[in-house]
Amino acid sequence: MRQHMFGDVAAAEMHALDMPNAWNAEALFPANIHRAATQALESWITAQDAFSRKHILNNFASSSDGNGDARAGAICASPSRKHPDYYYAWTRDSALVVLEVIAWLDNNKLDYMLKDELKQRLDDYVEFTRHLQGLKNLKYGLGEAKFYMDGTAFRAPWCNAQTDGPALRARAILAYAQHVIKQANGDTTRAHELFALVCTDLDYVTKVWMHPGN
């Protein structure tokens, strides 16, 4: 009896799921409301995409910015300097931003001027990386979590290692190297310069990947 009752309930549920348009949005809402909501959402996504891209690029320090307290190629986690203070170049955050910007470069709809700007931002980031890799006497070596935007080591009380930072940075620069190769018609000179930075980070990763860390 119990088994039969549950069987009837399951059958009723399956029948409900088979009903045409049971969960169809246009069956729940009038067509004009559904269409207007869809258009509004698409319009918001387009506006938000442009807004987000603009502010991502604004977080890159550039040699043309005239910003004396930031080194070209540094990417701040946030322009906020108090409550909270996040005006630092975090290795892992910067790498994730760069991976996103590289994905933009593969969009054939971008105009050439914007592509040139993105490439300059990425080249600045590469040089900033080269600078950071050359710093001495860092507490955590390449695993240092963050740096001041002028490219000097963070020496304040809070700091800990973030050992995934160099791995993410290696991935980002490798992705840029692959883009450079595609655009260079077989000339790998620039790519080899980038591979050297990747190897430095990967060498660090091979030494710490089994260690507990953040």
Side-chain angles (χ1 to χ4, degrees):
M1 179 72 179
R2 185 179 178 87
Q3 183 178 5
H4 177 70
M5 178 182 70
F6 285 144
D8 289 344
V9 170
E13 290 177 345
M14 292 301 293
H15 176 69
L17 290 174
D18 287 339
M19 290 176 61
N21 295 326
W23 296 105
N24 187 299
E26 293 195 10
L28 297 174
F29 303 103
N32 61 327
I33 295 178
H34 177 253
R35 184 165 50 253
T38 300
Q39 291 172 346
L41 177 60
E42 291 174 350
S43 177
W44 179 86
I45 290 173
T46 299
Q48 183 61 43
D49 179 71
F51 177 87
S52 297
R53 291 185 186 220
K54 174 185 175 183
H55 286 277
I56 285 174
L57 291 181
N58 285 347
N59 284 358
F60 278 76
S62 168
S63 55
S64 62
D65 291 339
N67 186 351
D69 66 352
R71 190 183 185 102
I75 305 171
C76 65
S78 167
S80 175
R81 304 194 189 201
K82 57 176 64 174
H83 310 305
D85 180 9
Y86 260 71
Y87 189 66
Y88 301 99
W90 297 69
T91 302
R92 69 157 64 138
D93 298 55
S94 298
L96 292 171
V97 169
V98 167
L99 282 167
E100 177 63 19
V101 172
I102 293 168
W104 300 352
L105 278 176
D106 292 330
N107 183 350
N108 293 326
K109 295 181 181 179
L110 289 182
D111 63 60
Y112 288 107
M113 288 185 64
L114 179 54
K115 283 195 174 186
D116 287 344
E117 179 186 354
L118 296 181
K119 289 174 184 176
Q120 184 59 57
R121 300 282 184 175
L122 293 172
D123 285 338
D124 286 344
Y125 170 76
V126 166
E127 293 310 310
F128 186 71
T129 295
R130 193 188 315 279
H131 165 76
L132 295 184
Q133 289 183 346
L135 292 178
K136 306 297 182 185
N137 302 318
L138 297 175
K139 185 175 181 180
Y140 299 107
L142 296 181
E144 205 83 15
K146 65 182 181 182
F147 298 84
Y148 290 111
M149 286 290 288
D150 64 359
T152 57
F154 180 78
R155 302 294 188 191
W158 182 94
C159 199
N160 65 327
Q162 290 183 347
T163 52
D164 59 344
L168 287 168
R169 185 168 60 194
R171 180 184 169 196
I173 295 179
L174 182 60
Y176 186 42
Q178 291 171 328
H179 173 82
V180 167
I181 290 173
K182 285 192 295 184
Q183 300 299 313
N185 296 320
D187 184 357
T188 59
T189 304
R190 176 60 171 156
H192 281 298
E193 295 174 0
L194 299 174
F195 291 152
L197 301 179
V198 171
C199 288
T200 297
D201 278 340
L202 292 183
D203 182 62
Y204 169 83
V205 172
T206 62
K207 295 173 181 174
V208 303
W209 70 275
M210 288 192 298
H211 299 173
N214 295 316

